[in-house]
Amino acid sequence: MDPLASIWVCIKVGLGIVTCLGVYVLVEFLVLPQCRKRRMGKYSNLRSSKSLMNNMADMKRNIKENKYIFWHFIKLRLTEENYDVFYTVRGNTTAFLLTSVKAYEEFKQLQPDVIDRKINPQNTFTKLAPSAFGNIKSGKEWNKRRNSVSKLMVLNKSSQYIPMMVQSLDAEIRTWKIGQDINVSERISAITLTIITKILFGSDITSKIEDCDYLHPDGKSTKMRFMDFYPKMILDIMLTFSNIKASIFPFVGVYDLVEPFVTNRKNINQFQDKLKKFLANSTDAGSVYRKLIDEFKIPEEDAFQDICGLLFAGHDTTSHAISSAIYFLKKNPEADKKLREALATCGITKDTDYFTIETKEKIQSCEYLNYVIKETLRIDPPAFSSIVYEACRPITLVGVPIKKSESILLNILSLHHDPSQWHEPLKFIPERFDPESEYFLKPDGDTRSLYAYAPFSFGLRKCPGQILATLELKFLLSRFLCTADIEIPESLLENDYARFALFSNFHLEGKVTYKSS
Ligand code: HEM
């Protein structure tokens, strides 16, 4: 072909592609959301987040202003009382975020036939363990795998890990020096990672797993301990939530076609390879992985996927809650004092022996400790939202029509700040959970709804790690309070917008002022 003609063809093809992309962006981000919004405008119990882009812009602004990344959800809940659902629009698909007790009540009735887990290839949980039971539809297979895990996490099984949990904390605190500056969030995250990996993979993991080469998008790599590599990899995956390329063309993120997805995928593959190699040589027959295979006859690959899912679900959630509990106690010296006194009254001191049944009973019977943990999980829920669900057929929820396949999420953060259910929702008041307290009832004097509080979610797909997590929080927090103390700078304590998350800018940092030995 004549060279000029070929150039002309190329220009025409190029223009064609650019026009198509332009039309796609116009329709997807302007026309369809506007049509959808007009339809949604009819329902007075719905609030719009404007668009996915605006929602992302809110998150970016919050991070920049050193606020909790989802501060805009709390703000909306506090300023606008009468709504049940918040929605975000992308093209002709919509995600419905349930925010009220009424919406939760209806949601629970509709599981799993009408509302079930959505297969969502974009979230971190799916990237890490695509066929873990938390990522598949409810059904026979899900039930068998989830039941097997749940049986390994009942109270008497979870209690056997208490000495190991306390020893992991003690080992970390032993390395601290009085006067030293500590990034408490980071250190607690390291402790809960040690704990969960030992439970899931085996007690030999910290000594036997190979180091990793952490890959950067520029092709360079850094040698790292597995325990440092894992949280860094998770943070990288989470940060892609605001990736502009994937927001416009979701398939580039789903199939890992561009950076940073390409590098993240290589790091995930490396994580899985190292872990599989370790598991092939692990000698701990008591690990959850081995028990799933040997006792419950779960196929090896399914058991591997499930423990990768459990690792993701059980690591940052617990460390986040412990950092948060320490932070809110420091912000509220009266609650801190009351808790220390309650522990002393129950006979918990720095010399307490955590290997005895009496200690377990004493900690479990400490009511104020229970209230502090509950209030921490209310004010700063580590899982600010449920995993994604979808409507299995067209439905109406709190009067709002939802099409088949549209996403539904429980917005736990908003629910926990509902002013009709909670007195002064921004305040840390553990007494809310004390039946004797004036804060136990709703502001209008009625009994609070059972659905007002859902840190571990509700219904069929609620968190199966609740017992293990609650034990870990109670024992680590009480041990920390008895054996160490830190001074948090006033500037951190004064920040009323602060909450924690792996991807928040806000970390709990302070100076060590006391350690028991
Ligand atoms: C403070 C700690 C924790 C909190 C606040 C928490 C909260 C949650 C929430 C809100 C969900 C979403 C449920 C839904 O989509 O409706 C969930 C799911 C899940 N959590 Fe937890 N979790 C915690 C710790 C753990 C631990 C320690 C484990 C296990 C080691 C765990 C394992 C799971 C699994 C496997 C799911 C998916 C369940 C399914 O879809 O069947 N979580 N968790």
Side-chain angles (χ1 to χ4, degrees):
M1 197 197 273
D2 164 355
L4 261 177
S6 340
I7 293 172
W8 185 230
V9 169
C10 289
I11 291 175
K12 275 191 356 235
V13 170
L15 279 175
I17 293 173
V18 171
T19 313
C20 286
L21 288 180
V23 171
Y24 166 78
V25 171
L26 203 75
V27 172
E28 184 82 356
F29 289 95
L30 285 174
V31 181
L32 289 174
Q34 280 311 320
C35 299
R36 193 99 179 115
K37 267 176 81 174
R38 197 159 302 156
R39 240 194 76 211
M40 294 295 175
K42 286 196 278 185
Y43 304 96
S44 61
N45 59 343
L46 259 181
R47 289 294 174 280
S48 153
S49 75
K50 295 161 256 174
S51 71
L52 183 83
M53 287 304 185
N54 280 340
N55 206 12
M56 273 166 45
D58 274 339
M59 293 182 194
K60 284 192 171 156
R61 196 172 34 252
N62 291 342
I63 294 179
K64 210 166 147 200
E65 292 173 3
N66 211 10
K67 288 179 181 162
Y68 177 56
I69 189 165
F70 300 111
W71 182 256
H72 50 292
F73 284 127
I74 300 181
K75 199 173 122 196
L76 186 78
R77 180 76 275 179
L78 293 175
T79 47
E80 289 204 41
E81 289 186 20
N82 300 320
Y83 74 104
D84 299 307
V85 183
F86 180 81
Y87 72 97
T88 50
V89 178
R90 217 190 134 260
N92 65 350
T93 61
T94 307
F96 294 87
L97 282 59
L98 313 189
T99 66
S100 75
V101 161
K102 199 168 153 211
Y104 274 55
E105 278 169 1
E106 285 193 24
F107 164 88
K108 205 184 157 204
Q109 310 304 324
L110 298 173
Q111 265 187 309
D113 300 335
V114 182
I115 296 178
D116 197 11
R117 186 65 86 225
K118 183 174 186 134
I119 310 296
N120 179 15
Q122 270 165 299
N123 73 20
T124 313
F125 195 7
T126 320
K127 290 256 174 203
L128 198 70
S131 55
F133 72 81
N135 285 325
I136 63 175
K137 296 263 180 210
S138 312
K140 244 180 163 178
E141 189 196 333
W142 165 79
N143 198 28
K144 179 174 190 287
R145 287 165 65 183
R146 178 174 161 123
N147 269 346
S148 309
V149 165
S150 300
K151 281 184 189 150
L152 293 172
M153 295 194 173
V154 291
L155 189 59
N156 65 345
K157 302 258 180 191
S158 294
S159 299
Q160 78 195 30
Y161 304 119
I162 293 169
M164 180 271 284
M165 291 175 181
V166 172
Q167 280 164 351
S168 305
L169 177 68
D170 286 354
E172 169 64 32
I173 291 178
R174 265 198 301 278
T175 66
W176 296 3
K177 293 188 178 59
I178 301 221
Q180 186 186 351
D181 287 319
I182 296 273
N183 182 332
V184 185
S185 319
E186 207 178 273
R187 297 323 305 151
I188 296 206
S189 166
I191 296 165
T192 60
L193 182 59
T194 304
I195 293 171
I196 192 78
T197 50
K198 285 187 175 183
I199 295 173
L200 299 175
F201 304 112
S203 53
D204 44 352
I205 185 148
T206 18
S207 57
K208 282 202 184 151
I209 194 152
E210 278 180 8
D211 286 351
C212 300
D213 288 309
Y214 175 80
L215 296 179
H216 305 269
D218 64 5
K220 292 194 179 122
S221 70
T222 312
K223 252 276 168 285
M224 249 180 221
R225 285 170 60 241
F226 179 84
M227 297 294 176
D228 298 324
F229 175 92
Y230 172 76
K232 212 165 159 43
M233 175 191 77
I234 292 292
L235 181 58
D236 288 344
I237 310 173
M238 282 185 167
L239 287 176
T240 58
F241 78 87
S242 58
N243 186 283
I244 190 85
K245 289 169 266 181
S247 300
I248 299 175
F249 304 110
F251 63 91
V252 302
V254 170
Y255 298 106
D256 302 320
L257 299 180
V258 295
E259 288 298 356
F261 298 94
V262 178
T263 303
N264 287 352
R265 173 50 53 200
K266 288 183 188 158
N267 282 328
I268 296 171
N269 291 346
Q270 197 187 158
F271 153 82
Q272 299 206 333
D273 290 347
K274 300 270 176 192
L275 209 50
K276 281 192 175 156
K277 209 164 150 191
F278 161 77
L279 287 168
N281 297 310
S282 170
T283 51
D284 189 346
S287 67
V288 170
Y289 173 69
R290 279 259 60 94
K291 284 191 180 163
L292 287 178
I293 294 171
D294 299 339
E295 247 176 70
F296 294 95
K297 309 294 172 216
I298 303 289
E300 251 175 58
E301 182 54 30
D302 288 352
F304 181 72
Q305 289 279 325
D306 287 348
I307 52 166
C308 288
L310 291 166
L311 173 66
F312 173 69
H315 162 231
D316 184 54
T317 43
T318 41
S319 75
H320 171 157
I322 296 165
S323 289
S324 181
I326 298 172
Y327 176 71
F328 283 101
L329 285 172
K330 286 284 167 195
K331 239 171 129 71
N332 297 277
E334 267 181 38
D336 188 38
K337 187 165 169 264
K338 210 166 157 184
L339 178 55
R340 287 169 192 275
E341 283 169 5
L343 288 171
T345 309
C346 292
I348 304 297
T349 70
K350 66 182 173 51
D351 300 316
T352 296
D353 177 0
Y354 279 83
F355 282 84
T356 68
I357 293 177
E358 293 78 62
T359 302
K360 286 175 199 162
E361 282 169 358
K362 279 181 194 166
I363 299 263
Q364 292 286 48
S365 69
C366 184
E367 281 180 348
Y368 200 68
L369 175 63
N370 197 19
Y371 303 153
V372 165
I373 301 285
K374 283 191 160 177
E375 176 64 347
T376 301
L377 296 176
R378 181 200 66 86
I379 199 164
D380 186 14
F384 73 94
S385 144
S386 68
I387 304 168
V388 188
Y389 293 88
E390 69 177 356
C392 306
R393 56 175 165 80
I395 58 166
T396 303
L397 200 108
V398 282
V400 175
I402 299 181
K403 289 184 187 164
K404 185 174 185 288
S405 306
E406 281 184 325
S407 302
I408 300 171
L409 292 110
L410 304 177
N411 193 316
I412 298 167
L413 190 67
S414 297
L415 185 78
H416 287 186
H417 288 83
D418 184 342
S420 69
Q421 297 289 327
W422 308 95
H423 294 262
E424 300 177 84
L426 286 179
K427 285 203 176 150
F428 182 80
I429 308 176
E431 287 73 8
R432 295 178 199 281
F433 296 94
D434 176 359
E436 307 284 307
S437 159
E438 61 185 300
Y439 294 102
F440 188 72
L441 297 174
K442 291 196 300 183
D444 67 5
D446 275 354
T447 312
R448 199 184 301 135
S449 162
L450 271 181
Y451 294 93
Y453 181 68
F456 295 98
S457 188
F458 267 121
L460 204 63
R461 305 297 294 245
K462 71 176 184 211
C463 176
Q466 177 169 357
I467 294 173
L468 176 69
T470 312
L471 270 187
E472 192 170 339
L473 302 186
K474 285 185 180 174
F475 282 81
L476 291 189
L477 181 63
S478 58
R479 182 68 175 170
F480 180 85
L481 293 177
C482 291
T483 57
D485 206 355
I486 41 167
E487 189 180 71
I488 311 288
E490 273 307 309
S491 55
L492 290 192
L493 295 178
E494 275 165 11
N495 186 346
D496 284 334
Y497 305 112
R499 303 288 189 275
F500 297 92
L502 194 59
F503 43 84
S504 278
N505 246 1
F506 193 73
H507 299 278
L508 185 60
E509 289 165 0
K511 215 178 257 315
V512 180
T513 53
Y514 166 76
K515 57 177 253 179
S516 64
S517 59

